[in-house]
Amino acid sequence: MRFQVLFVLLLFTCLYLSVAQGSFGNCCLRYVKTMKTSVKKNIVEYRMQETDGDCNMRAVVFTTKRKKAICANPEDKWVKDQMKIVDRRNQRTSTTPSTI
Amino acid sequence: MEDYEYHDHDDFNDTYDYDYHTVCDKETVRSFGSVFLPVIYAVALVVGLAGNALVVVVYTSRLRLRTLTDMCILNLAISDLLLLFTLPFWAADAVHGWRLGSAACKFTSFLYSTNFSCGMLLLACISVDRYRAVAQMTGGRNGMGPQVRRQWVLVCVGLWAAASFLGLPELIFSTVKHSHHRMACTEVYPPSMARPAKAALELLEVILRFLLPFLVMVVCYCWVGRALSRAAGVRRERKWRALRVLLAVVAVFLLTQLPYNVVKLCRALDVIYLLVTECEVSKGLDRALQITESLALSHACINPLLYAFMGSSFRGHVLKAAKHFGQRISGHPRNVTEEPAVEIALNNRTQTQSHSGSEDQDTSTFTI
């Protein structure tokens, strides 16, 4: 009987042992389909989300002036265009002092 | 359409739902693991270390391990100890990120994965050996020939090799990466094969760490249970006690491993089919993984209880270790009554052929 009590106690102490591996990174889970021009104007940078780590889908993460992250499909034409626009804009601002 | 606080934004003066398609922030999941961890974790580590260390001490101080099961229990305790030794590193990783470099990250991940698998395979092996003890009454098991012991060593080496093989992906792909303002020790796969690799590894782990050991255990213990209930010359309460141990072994395995593997299966399906598109669902799945993985790990603390303390004459061994050497194997089933252990000498011949020749060969000590 004593062993059963000990056993149940053990189970409960171990139950709370929260040491799961994994880094639990922030990920995009779905894409926006379109984006208003007013929003596009406010995009300051983007990064690629790859599937190599915690995330399960490739995505382009646009960041707006207000630090809002928006997920877009890297296969969409408008996304590719927008990435080029941001690249060009950032190249220009890197030569002159940035106001952002 | 949710339209939250975006009405007053100059960015979004329409009600288009960008919040819905934003990056899912898992900070709450990460902090969930890092807040409660250190205190409760220390308790669990102490319990696990104490139990398994005791098993190792007692089993190595024995002059010889009598059965393959004994050897597996010793290996299991060693494997559980190695697994438990990695836990402080994961705790530190959860609290303030990985600070020990890439080599330590690879090694710790490898150790964790290998010993997790090794434990499960050893549990299956113990059930097979117990089944063999019941099924094969003659020769082999009781004879302590050197070739038998070599076979046991080979079995254990084989199991460790298989477990190491399962740990290899961790050794190869684990790396320290900068994420969310701190370093994390995690797997990073080559982008070209990332998703198939992730899904395949999860599924492989579910099969080899759970499904296979579970099926083997269920089949073997069903046989053992049947043989036990039919066995002649064993008292009823002793039979029931032995059956209860077997039931506990299977039940605890299922209780601790099933939730973890269900979550793993869900994650594997999510990797393949991208099922989870809601942030809350994704966070729930991550939290479920944290909790169920801890539960699965708790098996390492419970193993000494289930396999060493509960059955066998382990308790007697701890108390009067030296005295009992040599006295334990009794050829006559009715002589073992004074020992409070779940050790049963099955006399199979009497029930099947009723042929009572040389006692020592007909009977087999069946240790649970």
Side-chain angles (χ1 to χ4, degrees), chain A residues 72-89:
Chain A
N73 188 348
E75 305 300 320
D76 284 358
K77 192 185 175 299
W78 72 266
V79 176
K80 287 176 183 166
D81 293 342
Q82 191 57 41
M83 283 159 71
K84 280 180 201 142
I85 293 168
V86 175
D87 281 340
R88 242 178 287 137
R89 204 189 293 153

Side-chain angles (χ1 to χ4, degrees), chain A:
Chain A
M1 272 306 135
R2 238 170 356 115
F3 266 81
Q4 273 147 340
V5 173
L6 190 68
F7 173 77
V8 170
L9 263 173
L10 268 185
L11 196 73
F12 277 105
T13 50
C14 297
L15 206 144
Y16 289 100
L17 165 71
S18 170
V19 276
Q21 263 184 295
S23 53
F24 302 108
N26 300 347
C27 292
C28 289
L29 301 176
R30 55 166 70 184
Y31 307 124
V32 282
K33 287 186 185 64
T34 55
M35 199 186 275
K36 292 273 152 75
T37 1
S38 59
V39 181
K40 283 182 185 172
K41 268 186 225 159
N42 284 307
I43 288 167
V44 287
E45 56 177 18
Y46 71 87
R47 66 176 173 86
M48 292 300 297
Q49 168 179 302
E50 295 294 348
T51 53
D52 54 358
D54 302 317
C55 304
N56 293 331
M57 60 189 234
R58 290 187 76 232
V60 179
V61 186
F62 290 115
T63 313
T64 66
K65 274 180 193 168
R66 304 187 75 118
K67 300 282 177 218
K68 200 79 216 169
I70 298 167
C71 301
N73 188 348
E75 305 300 320
D76 284 358
K77 192 185 175 299
W78 72 266
V79 176
K80 287 176 183 166
D81 293 342
Q82 191 57 41
M83 283 159 71
K84 280 180 201 142
I85 293 168
V86 175
D87 281 340
R88 242 178 287 137
R89 204 189 293 153
N90 287 351
Q91 259 169 16
R92 224 179 302 139
T93 49
S94 63
T95 50
T96 56
S98 170
T99 49
I100 302 158

Side-chain angles (χ1 to χ4, degrees), chain B residues 29-85:
Chain B
V29 175
R30 291 190 291 270
S31 58
F32 176 77
S34 67
V35 174
F36 300 101
L37 183 66
V39 182
I40 299 136
Y41 156 76
V43 177
L45 182 70
V46 166
V47 170
L49 285 187
N52 284 296
L54 189 59
V55 172
V56 170
V57 167
V58 170
Y59 274 77
T60 48
S61 70
R62 273 189 193 187
L63 292 177
R64 53 194 344 181
L65 301 165
R66 287 183 306 121
T67 59
L68 177 58
T69 297
D70 282 348
M71 205 166 206
C72 283
I73 289 174
L74 176 60
N75 275 279
L76 185 64
I78 294 169
S79 159
D80 285 345
L81 279 178
L82 289 173
L83 178 65
L84 289 166
F85 280 136

Side-chain angles (χ1 to χ4, degrees), chain B residues 136-148:
Chain B
Q136 302 179 321
M137 284 297 125
T138 48
R141 237 179 97 90
N142 285 337
M144 289 287 292
Q147 78 274 17
V148 176

